[in-house]
Amino acid sequence: MRRKLIGVIVVTAGVLALAGCAKPAGVDGKLFNGWALPPEPKIPVPTAPACYEVKTEDPTEVPKWPAAIDCASPHTVETLHVGQFEGADADRSSPPPSGGPERRKAYEQCNVKATESLGADWRTGRIELFLVLPIELHWDAGARWFRCDVVEYRDLEDFAVVDRNGSMKGALAGTGDLKLGCATVSAAGDTIDKVLPITCTTAHNGEFTGIFDHPDGEYPTDGAARSKANLDGCRGIVAGYTGIPNDKDFQYRVGQVASPFSKASWELGNRGVRCYVWTPKNVATTLKGAGPGGLPINYA
């Protein structure tokens, strides 16, 4: 009885196997003949201009980006330009490292595109420019793009990112509202505590005067020497803006604030310092071109 049951099972399996091998009309039975291969997977390339709503102070640290939205909608990050690594820069087995020539070249392209879009050097506004690269996993999959992203800061002390409506295009042209201008400077001991934007017709004691750029070279690691070099460089910028002599009596006319960018920015090629004039008394007008009469010597 048991042998008969096994025979039935075997026969049944054989019937199923035969049924599976039967070919419908028009089928040749060759599984791979004429079948199109699936497309090779690719990492999407970002587009520009585009805007994103992400909660971050640093777009380079966003792990996963949402879909781009219309820049008229509330957003925190705007992509001004998308470039491509090419030639030897693209042949690397991993993304270009920080401080390397490939990143500096890409960052310089971002600087040029940001100036074109914003209407002036982005460093003269309440703005930060970021170079965003593909993560290593995406680089391995063939991504070779880089993005030039900007964010607006409420001020340049707390670096709170503004959730804005509308593109930054032209934001630094003419009298653009993101341009650095007059400010209220406060100190805590020997350290500048705050440099907060304010209208020039309101009582204030500081004003942005321009950017000093250090010559190319290694980042100065000595903090005291670096601070002195920043202030020495800004003296010429402040003197030129206000119209006062850059001489031994400079310090008896005005003070100054030198606000450098970070070591990471230096390694990308941005060796700039934001320079501010700092007055001993409040004023309610711009100090541009004030001259020796507007900023007299005060030995007291």
Side-chain angles (χ1 to χ4, degrees):
M1 184 69 182
R2 182 180 176 189
R3 291 180 59 192
K4 186 175 180 180
L5 180 60
I6 292 174
V8 170
I9 293 173
V10 171
V11 170
T12 303
V15 171
L16 290 172
L18 288 173
C21 291
K23 300 192 292 289
V27 177
D28 62 8
K30 297 178 181 179
L31 294 179
F32 301 104
N33 183 27
W35 285 37
L37 293 175
E40 182 181 350
K42 292 184 177 180
I43 303 299
V45 177
T47 59
C51 290
Y52 300 89
E53 175 59 25
V54 288
K55 299 302 180 186
T56 182
E57 293 181 2
D58 186 348
T60 65
E61 297 179 352
V62 176
K64 185 176 180 180
W65 285 85
I69 59 176
D70 190 313
C71 290
S73 302
H75 63 275
T76 52
V77 178
E78 182 172 354
T79 299
L80 298 179
H81 174 71
V82 176
Q84 289 284 337
F85 290 104
E86 297 176 343
D89 296 348
D91 292 338
R92 297 180 51 85
S93 59
S94 60
S98 298
E102 303 93 345
R103 286 208 190 203
R104 290 187 65 162
K105 191 188 303 181
Y107 188 73
E108 178 56 32
Q109 189 177 137
C110 286
N111 269 308
V112 171
K113 295 299 182 180
T115 298
E116 291 175 357
S117 179
L118 299 171
D121 186 340
W122 65 268
R123 301 175 301 174
T124 63
R126 290 184 289 104
I127 296 171
E128 183 68 51
L129 173 68
F130 293 91
L131 173 67
V132 180
L133 273 61
I135 61 173
E136 191 157 357
L137 180 66
H138 291 172
W139 185 277
D140 290 343
R144 293 296 184 270
W145 52 262
F146 61 86
R147 286 189 1 212
C148 309
D149 289 357
V150 288
V151 301
E152 175 191 346
Y153 288 135
R154 196 171 309 282
D155 60 66
L156 297 180
E157 294 303 315
D158 297 326
F159 299 102
V161 176
V162 174
D163 207 341
R164 57 177 287 121
N165 295 292
S167 170
M168 287 193 203
K169 186 175 178 61
L172 297 180
T175 58
D177 62 345
L178 296 189
K179 294 179 74 169
L180 293 174
C182 295
T184 299
V185 178
S186 59
D190 295 331
T191 304
I192 298 299
D193 181 44
K194 297 286 184 182
V195 182
L196 301 176
I198 194 170
T199 60
C200 289
T201 54
T202 303
H204 62 277
N205 62 347
E207 186 172 349
F208 175 71
T209 59
I211 301 289
F212 168 71
D213 281 299
H214 287 282
D216 197 2
E218 294 296 319
Y219 181 76
T221 55
D222 185 302
R226 188 170 65 249
S227 294
K228 182 179 184 305
N230 291 338
L231 289 168
D232 287 347
C234 276
R235 273 183 62 139
I237 302 297
V238 171
Y241 182 86
T242 59
I244 61 175
N246 184 9
D247 58 14
K248 61 181 178 58
D249 290 323
F250 175 92
Q251 62 185 321
Y252 300 111
R253 296 181 187 275
V254 294
Q256 56 176 331
V257 177
S259 179
F261 290 87
S262 66
K263 181 176 183 289
S265 292
W266 182 290
E267 291 175 345
L268 283 170
N270 175 16
R271 300 175 301 281
V273 183
R274 287 181 171 120
C275 305
Y276 297 80
V277 58
W278 185 14
T279 58
K281 296 179 180 180
N282 282 348
V283 296
T285 185
T286 179
L287 292 175
K288 185 173 184 178
L295 293 168
I297 294 173
N298 181 6
Y299 292 117

